[in-house]
Amino acid sequence: MTDDEVNTPSDGTDNLPAPSEPAPGEVVVSAQPEGLLVGGDPEAVESYLQRLAENAGYAVQVVGLDKASLGNATGLAASAASILGQSAKFVQLHPDSVKAIHAERLVPGTHGFNRMMTRGPDGKFLRQLQWKETNVNPAKLMSAQMLAVQIALKTAISEVEDAVQRVESKVEEVLRLAQASRSGDVLGDRLSLERMVNYLEKHGSFSDTDWDWISSIGPGLNRTVEQLRQHALATLKTFDPSRPIQDRAEFVVNAVENQQLGETLSLLVVAEESLFQWQRLRIARVEATEPQHLQKVLDDARELLAHQMAADGDLYRRAQTVLDAVARTEAIDGFRLWSVQGLTRDLPKLREDLDRFAHARRAQALEWSEIDAPTPKEALQAAADKASVAATQALGAATEGYTAVSNFFSKTTREGSKLFGKRRSRDQPGEE
């Protein structure tokens, strides 16, 4: 097979293998806004995923779409999974990574199913990849959307149990700080939704009574998520980079102890995970009872995912900017020993809370600026240097002043002498 050869039937037609039967050496891909659905020959899939990881630039999150991850998938989600075969994968990519792999032509440009079989002599994919779009009906295309959105909602949050443990004893306090007054408990709602999702994955459907019981939780969770995020942003906005180090150290203490910033981020993660679980139930409910509205509900869930990801990314970047500004010190700050020690002690804790938040949201963790903790000795030297400069400036000013006064008196003396000489000449009689 040549570098750019694509496996096509000998009659020259585009009659590709049946959608449910990926051919040996074939990769099937459906590019969705939430990520890539990938399936086909297991060895070919692994080779393709390796190429993606090499070119993505950001960490690539791969989720295997097996029985454990799909549960008792029915309807459209099961249909899409069958097209991808036994090695089906869902690949989450950072938006920047999507641009990069599109530039390398590693993914097709459509949201349908595409097949590729370009291989080299060593069995690896070559640089130039060529794709053939699989002709499927609109229901099959919607099935790809259905599967991608459901898996994206399921995997949007990681390690939520850690967040639960960090915040479980402070839920009411954090909600009070965020002014998130709502009926019910965030952790209690999470347990209810988790049980319902497990029931759905086990049985493939749930009753009208179950939906009536759970349906009102979603809007409340949406409000709670926004209130928690706004509380975190409001806490960060109280920071003034122009304030002295003792005020910056006080900001960190207030953010950690009084405003519960770390706990707020943990509870935000829990609330978002519950909101995404509720969306999964909503989609399954609409598919089963009102399929004519399914496309609109899928679009709405996609918008929610994109909004939450963007908002959390903005929050994390703002926090990095603020905490890096907090960490900036000058040598003279060494005189504020307790403030410097407080920053050295408390700031890393707050940074850890933020990095855990980024990890839970599967975001790329950013690099933090080093904390330069000046010592009293460095402060003394800085003060001496400043004093030396001030003394030099004062001496210069004094010298300039003395010179000016001296010049003034010298000029006055000369002018007085001239005046005295003229007057004496007028008073003495001239020689006759």
Side-chain angles (χ1 to χ4, degrees):
M1 185 176 293
T2 61
D3 285 1
D4 294 333
E5 184 179 358
V6 177
N7 188 24
T8 57
S10 58
D11 60 2
T13 66
D14 290 336
N15 295 322
L16 295 169
S20 60
E21 300 176 359
E26 181 183 57
V27 173
V28 182
V29 173
S30 178
Q32 300 294 324
E34 298 74 32
L36 305 179
L37 295 170
V38 180
D41 178 81
E43 182 181 352
V45 168
E46 291 304 316
S47 179
Y48 176 66
L49 294 179
Q50 183 178 355
R51 283 289 307 276
L52 289 178
E54 291 171 353
N55 289 272
Y58 286 81
V60 176
Q61 178 74 22
V62 179
V63 180
L65 304 184
D66 53 14
K67 182 68 175 176
S69 64
L70 287 175
N72 188 23
T74 59
L76 294 175
S79 175
S82 68
I83 294 176
L84 299 171
Q86 296 298 315
S87 61
K89 308 284 186 183
F90 176 71
V91 184
Q92 287 183 317
L93 297 165
H94 188 277
D96 290 344
S97 298
V98 174
K99 296 177 183 177
I101 62 178
H102 268 295
E104 292 293 327
R105 301 182 67 179
L106 294 176
V107 293
T110 68
H111 293 334
F113 288 93
N114 295 267
R115 296 168 182 264
M116 182 269 294
M117 291 190 65
T118 303
R119 304 293 293 276
D122 58 356
K124 295 183 179 180
F125 289 108
L126 303 170
R127 177 169 298 180
Q128 185 70 22
L129 306 180
Q130 294 188 6
W131 299 91
K132 288 286 185 179
E133 186 172 357
T134 299
N135 294 320
V136 295
N137 59 39
K140 293 288 187 182
L141 296 181
M142 183 177 285
S143 71
Q145 298 181 50
M146 179 76 166
L147 183 59
V149 172
Q150 286 277 26
I151 297 301
L153 289 167
K154 183 174 182 176
T155 59
I157 305 291
S158 68
E159 299 183 6
V160 69
E161 294 296 338
D162 292 341
V164 170
Q165 292 178 8
R166 286 193 298 272
V167 80
E168 59 184 349
S169 64
K170 298 182 179 180
V171 171
E172 294 302 324
E173 182 180 358
V174 174
L175 290 175
R176 177 185 58 80
L177 288 169
Q179 298 180 348
S181 56
R182 54 180 295 269
S183 60
D185 180 86
V186 174
L187 299 186
D189 288 343
R190 175 179 177 269
L191 290 176
S192 298
L193 290 165
E194 186 176 44
R195 290 188 61 185
M196 184 67 75
V197 168
N198 289 339
Y199 185 91
L200 173 65
E201 292 181 342
K202 182 178 181 180
H203 301 288
S205 63
F206 49 85
S207 67
D208 293 344
T209 302
D210 288 335
W211 175 247
D212 291 341
W213 171 55
I214 213 80
S215 60
S216 62
I217 292 180
L221 281 170
N222 195 57
R223 288 193 300 271
T224 300
V225 165
E226 296 302 325
Q227 288 167 328
L228 289 169
R229 187 183 293 114
Q230 288 305 312
H231 172 62
L233 288 170
T235 300
L236 294 171
K237 287 179 181 178
T238 62
F239 173 69
D240 183 355
S242 66
R243 302 297 297 171
I245 189 171
Q246 60 269 28
D247 291 343
R248 285 181 275 140
E250 184 179 350
F251 162 79
V252 174
V253 172
N254 181 62
V256 171
E257 298 181 0
N258 299 330
Q259 299 303 318
Q260 304 282 328
L261 182 55
E263 288 78 4
T264 298
L265 295 175
S266 293
L267 192 57
L268 174 58
V269 165
V270 175
E272 282 185 298
E273 194 250 3
S274 296
L275 179 60
F276 296 154
Q277 295 285 62
W278 184 85
Q279 288 288 335
R280 292 182 62 197
L281 296 171
R282 178 194 180 202
I283 290 171
R285 172 67 177 179
V286 172
E287 181 190 17
T289 62
E290 301 176 286
Q292 70 274 19
H293 297 299
L294 182 57
Q295 184 63 63
K296 294 179 181 178
V297 173
L298 287 174
D299 292 342
D300 184 64
R302 281 179 156 165
E303 290 176 6
L304 175 70
L305 280 167
H307 166 73
Q308 299 297 339
M309 178 178 290
D312 288 344
D314 289 343
L315 171 60
Y316 182 62
R317 287 187 292 272
R318 178 185 287 270
Q320 188 209 32
T321 300
V322 168
L323 296 192
D324 279 352
V326 169
R328 295 192 190 102
T329 59
E330 298 179 2
I332 199 69
D333 291 333
F335 284 129
R336 301 286 185 177
L337 182 61
W338 297 113
S339 297
V340 171
Q341 289 180 344
L343 279 182
T344 306
R345 179 189 64 249
D346 296 332
L347 197 54
K349 296 178 183 178
L350 194 52
R351 287 175 168 179
E352 287 177 7
D353 288 333
L354 284 158
D355 283 342
R356 276 195 294 263
F357 173 68
H359 181 70
R361 292 298 280 116
R362 303 186 186 278
Q364 182 78 6
L366 302 174
E367 295 293 330
W368 297 105
S369 299
E370 293 294 330
I371 304 175
D372 185 9
T375 64
K377 181 178 180 180
E378 291 172 332
L380 283 171
Q381 183 60 50
D385 292 342
K386 286 187 176 182
S388 176
V389 171
T392 301
Q393 291 174 342
L395 180 60
T399 302
E400 291 177 1
Y402 172 79
T403 302
V405 171
S406 177
N407 291 340
F408 171 77
F409 280 112
S410 296
K411 180 179 179 181
T412 304
T413 301
R414 289 194 301 272
E415 291 177 350
S417 298
K418 292 179 181 178
L419 181 61
F420 177 76
K422 291 179 180 179
R423 182 175 297 173
R424 183 179 180 185
S425 298
R426 288 197 302 269
D427 292 342
Q428 289 180 353
E431 296 182 1
E432 298 182 357

